[in-house]
Amino acid sequence: MEPTNLSRSFARLREAAGLPGVRLHDLRHTVVSLLMELGVPPHVVQAIARHADVKITLRVYAHANLDAMRQALGKLDGRLS
């Protein structure tokens, strides 16, 4: 299906359901971000997102969240103690 037609069809369904103005691409971004946050290996996320290269997946979606940073530093602290 042509991407523009898919987006148009999704918009009609979203409006009919009375949902807020979210784009199909926004849902894709959310899914990929959640998969990364859940610790799914980047190469698996890359395959799901159909990115040509895992570097794209990592560059766009590998933003570290505060909880992940705290856990990483806690592990380091435990190792150094």
Side-chain angles (χ1 to χ4, degrees), residues 4-67:
T4 303
N5 291 336
L6 179 61
S7 293
R8 230 180 273 135
S9 294
F10 175 76
R12 280 193 294 268
L13 290 170
R14 180 191 45 76
E15 289 168 9
L19 297 174
V22 65
R23 300 171 302 154
L24 195 54
H25 185 79
D26 298 330
L27 297 178
R28 171 187 163 87
H29 185 80
T30 299
V31 166
V32 175
S33 295
L34 288 172
L35 289 171
M36 293 295 290
E37 191 174 303
L38 289 168
V40 174
H43 70 281
V44 174
V45 177
Q46 174 213 355
I48 291 169
R50 305 297 235 175
H51 290 144
D53 192 322
V54 74
K55 291 176 189 173
I56 295 168
T57 308
L58 292 171
R59 185 175 62 239
V60 175
Y61 296 99
H63 32 70
N65 66 36
L66 190 53
D67 288 336

